[in-house]
Amino acid sequence: MEENQVCYTFDAAVEKAIEMEEEGFRNYLAAIRKVTNKGAREILRENALDELEHKHQLEKALLEGRMEGEAAFSQTIPTMHLDYTLKKQELGPESGVREALIYAIHLEKGAVDFYGKVANGCAGAPMGNLFGQLLKEESRHLQALEDLYERHFMTEN
């Protein structure tokens, strides 16, 4: 069975989402430890805190047996798909804000792709709504990062 055809029980779905958020947090934490540029560290730190907040919301949902505000995000957030034009690279001590933003864009795109596959696999089931909400939230973060990149690094501005 293909990954995008998998649908989970509520607990399994939330546990998988918690794993995704934890992995995202760990990736941001590792990146923060590598870079020395203050602006780059701040961008990575803000995104790491977002991952922790998502993880906390999901852990709370496990306790309560439901997701708060499941209908909160009613429309898909369009993104510029900068991940296709910006090459993902490992961060190092000399990495700056631009590299940190590109790194964060790729991490968020990975989460968007994951939640999109699972939301499609669970379409019509209650888990489809849960993963659809997580997809929209991650899409919002991706859009915010792309907007920041566009404001600061794209030539027409």
Side-chain angles (χ1 to χ4, degrees), residues 22 25-37 40-42 44-45 48 90-95 100 103:
E22 175 69 22
F25 171 76
R26 293 289 164 195
N27 285 326
Y28 282 119
L29 186 61
I32 290 166
R33 291 176 174 161
K34 289 178 187 173
V35 300
T36 57
N37 179 285
R41 288 174 65 92
E42 187 55 32
L44 296 167
R45 183 181 175 281
E90 282 301 311
L91 295 177
E94 303 304 314
S95 298
Y103 183 83

Side-chain angles (χ1 to χ4, degrees), residues 122-137:
C122 294
M127 295 311 92
N129 293 339
L130 169 68
F131 280 103
Q133 177 184 348
L134 293 165
L135 169 63
K136 288 170 186 150
E137 191 152 327

Side-chain angles (χ1 to χ4, degrees), residues 28-86:
Y28 282 119
L29 186 61
I32 290 166
R33 291 176 174 161
K34 289 178 187 173
V35 300
T36 57
N37 179 285
K38 188 177 178 183
R41 288 174 65 92
E42 187 55 32
I43 284 168
L44 296 167
R45 183 181 175 281
E46 286 174 17
N47 283 282
L49 289 171
D50 283 344
E51 301 299 308
L52 284 179
E53 179 59 32
H54 291 161
K55 184 177 172 225
H56 177 76
Q57 289 171 347
L58 290 161
E59 288 168 336
K60 201 170 159 192
L62 266 184
L63 284 174
E64 296 172 0
R66 64 185 176 85
M67 191 74 179
E68 284 296 316
E70 284 185 35
F73 305 104
S74 58
Q75 59 191 108
T76 305
I77 312 298
T79 63
M80 291 183 272
H81 302 288
L82 288 181
D83 58 294
Y84 291 116
T85 58
L86 302 172

